[in-house]
Amino acid sequence: MKFTWYGRMLFALYTSTFIIRLCFGIILIVLPYYLRHTVSDFMFGLIWGASPFAEMISVMFIGLAVDRFGRKRVLLVGLLTGALSLVLYGVTQNPYLLMAINAFHGVAAAAILVSSLALVADYAAKHTRGREMGAFDFANLFGWFSGFLVGGVLVDLFSTSLAIPFVLGGVLALLGFAFAYIAIVEPEVHKFTAKDITPKHVINVLTSREILLLVLPWLMLYIMIGVILSFFSLESAQISMPGTSLALVLGGGGTIFLATQIFYGKMADKYGRTPVLFIGTVGVIGVVSTVAYSVYLSSTKDVEGLIGVLMGSKPLLGLLGISAFLAGAFGPSALASLADECPQRAKGVTMALYSIVISAGMSIGPPAAGFLSDHSGTLAVFLFLVACAGLMLLFVVIRYMDLKKREAVEGGHS
């Protein structure tokens, strides 16, 4: 990629995305230790779910703002709001105040995600869109997993004063805001924004079968991600796993997934979105099935038993690693497909819908996991993950059948 204004814009966008996601990753590790022994599993799920719930109810308005006022303005507001929310976490351990702060954080996350994806979709050519989306996923996920590692170290360093990591994260997030303010450009803002926003602007996106069949698999995926990130972190904190060890488990496993993003993005550009999408879906099913089976084999039927089974079985550990590698194909191909389908002046609303299903998934997953854990045990949580993976495959298959019908109709008219 030539380092023109376009290259500079992508570099600035990816860098600021990395920084803010690193800060958010710190929260995911620190918060369970910050609250352990002070709230129930269900209350922790409610606190955790407040962020995606707030994102879900605010994101469509954010998408409209992105389409009306431009991507950069909304992105900067999101980055600044995210930095402020990070500092506020360290102010209190009151569960209701933390629920409100986490909701505030969710609005910031929505603004960052929608504006960033719309910016990439605006300027990426179709034949390189998979690569650009893969690179965005790389920056996004590398930030999360780096945040896991940093958060784990901070938990161990500041075990007697866990408010400090939140303050440090807020300062780092402000640096991301400053970099984005200086470096990100939006040269054709008027080409991609709408002067008049009407209900039709939203309805056309919400009623598009093509778009809905692309976002529903994301819903299932993020229910699973919400369960894994919240439930696994809380269980690990309750068995007194060191913060650094938890970070290495989440961050190390994520590195396998992370390394695939640009590769699979290029594959989606070269061989088509659908084959790569299927590969990713099969990988997700492999991950959750292997984990659920390992929990079933364990004597304790919990996270500690899961780790013991995986560490004692090279075949299962190898299958988990291969599945994680294949699962990496889903993100770049699905995002590139979504960018292919969305209307030019409604990218903000389209990406807002994508963000809504992410928020819905992250809102549903943690409380559902907490409820199942309290009433039916840990194994029920992992069987729930398997059911979600099956629904994800169903939606991908329906989309594949629709594409075949569309190709047949277009072939008949040619």
Side-chain angles (χ1 to χ4, degrees):
M1 182 193 305
K2 293 182 179 179
F3 209 62
T4 59
W5 70 266
Y6 175 67
R8 289 194 299 271
M9 181 200 72
L10 288 181
F11 177 74
L13 178 64
Y14 295 155
T15 302
S16 60
T17 297
F18 165 76
I19 291 173
I20 196 67
R21 296 306 181 192
L22 182 149
C23 297
F24 290 174
I26 290 173
I27 291 175
L28 288 176
I29 295 296
V30 176
L31 194 60
Y33 290 87
Y34 188 58
L35 294 178
R36 64 178 172 177
H37 310 313
T38 64
V39 298
S40 67
D41 285 5
F42 183 63
M43 177 56 73
F44 180 78
L46 290 176
I47 294 171
W48 197 282
S51 174
F53 179 75
E55 184 173 350
M56 181 174 59
I57 63 176
S58 66
V59 72
M60 190 55 69
F61 298 102
I62 290 170
L64 291 170
V66 166
D67 284 338
R68 177 64 184 88
F69 301 109
R71 297 24 171 158
K72 182 177 179 178
R73 291 180 182 178
V74 178
L75 175 62
L76 293 176
V77 171
L79 290 170
L80 188 59
T81 305
L84 179 60
S85 69
L86 279 160
V87 176
L88 291 176
Y89 280 106
V91 174
T92 180
Q93 286 186 309
N94 181 286
Y96 299 102
L97 288 177
L98 283 172
M99 207 178 297
I101 293 167
N102 213 26
F104 190 51
H105 164 84
V107 176
I112 294 166
L113 181 64
V114 173
S115 56
S116 298
L117 286 173
L119 197 60
V120 175
D122 283 346
Y123 298 105
K126 188 171 183 178
H127 66 279
T128 62
R129 192 169 287 152
R131 181 191 67 186
E132 282 13 340
M133 287 299 184
F136 176 83
D137 258 358
F138 179 90
N140 190 33
L141 294 170
F142 189 39
W144 281 115
F145 298 136
S146 298
F148 296 160
L149 294 172
V150 173
V153 172
L154 292 177
V155 163
D156 290 342
L157 285 177
F158 301 103
S159 58
T160 58
S161 184
L162 287 174
I164 294 176
F166 296 120
V167 176
L168 294 176
V171 172
L172 186 59
L174 282 175
L175 294 177
F177 163 80
F179 185 72
Y181 178 81
I182 294 170
I184 290 179
V185 294
E186 195 176 3
E188 299 181 273
V189 61
H190 299 297
K191 179 180 177 181
F192 297 108
T193 53
K195 292 183 179 179
D196 298 313
I197 300 293
T198 65
K200 187 178 180 181
H201 190 85
V202 178
I203 292 171
N204 287 343
V205 172
L206 296 181
T207 57
S208 169
R209 181 179 173 90
E210 292 84 0
I211 291 174
L212 289 176
L213 286 174
L214 282 167
V215 298
L216 285 173
W218 283 109
L219 174 63
M220 295 299 107
L221 179 62
Y222 272 88
I223 288 175
M224 291 184 277
I225 290 174
V227 169
I228 291 169
L229 291 180
S230 63
F231 183 74
F232 187 88
S233 297
L234 185 61
E235 285 282 302
S236 300
Q238 289 176 343
I239 64 175
S240 300
M241 178 186 288
T244 304
S245 299
L246 172 60
L248 287 172
V249 170
L250 292 178
T255 300
I256 299 173
F257 180 83
L258 172 68
T260 65
Q261 295 305 282
I262 298 176
F263 167 75
Y264 282 127
K266 291 180 178 180
M267 293 300 100
D269 288 332
K270 185 174 182 180
Y271 298 109
R273 318 298 193 209
T274 303
V276 182
L277 194 63
F278 266 112
I279 290 172
T281 305
V282 169
V284 171
I285 292 172
V287 169
V288 297
S289 298
T290 303
V291 169
Y293 183 64
S294 299
V295 172
Y296 174 75
L297 290 179
S298 70
S299 58
T300 55
K301 302 293 187 291
D302 57 16
V303 170
E304 190 172 14
L306 163 67
I307 295 172
V309 169
L310 288 175
M311 292 299 102
S313 173
K314 290 183 180 179
L316 283 176
L317 196 60
L319 179 60
L320 183 63
I322 293 170
S323 297
F325 180 80
L326 296 177
F330 183 82
S333 56
L335 280 176
S337 298
L338 190 60
D340 292 342
E341 298 285 356
C342 63
Q344 178 165 309
R345 294 182 185 273
K347 290 189 178 74
V349 171
T350 304
M351 296 307 174
L353 179 60
Y354 161 74
S355 183
I356 285 173
V357 299
I358 289 177
S359 304
M362 294 288 279
S363 296
I364 294 167
F371 180 84
L372 288 171
S373 175
D374 288 342
H375 292 85
S376 302
T378 301
L379 182 59
V381 175
F382 290 98
L383 292 177
F384 174 67
L385 293 177
V386 174
C388 290
L391 286 173
M392 182 180 174
L393 176 61
L394 175 64
F395 293 131
V396 171
V397 169
I398 293 173
R399 170 169 167 76
Y400 171 75
M401 295 170 63
D402 276 8
L403 287 176
K404 285 296 183 182
K405 289 179 182 178
R406 188 196 304 180
E407 291 172 2
V409 170
E410 291 173 353
H413 291 163
S414 61

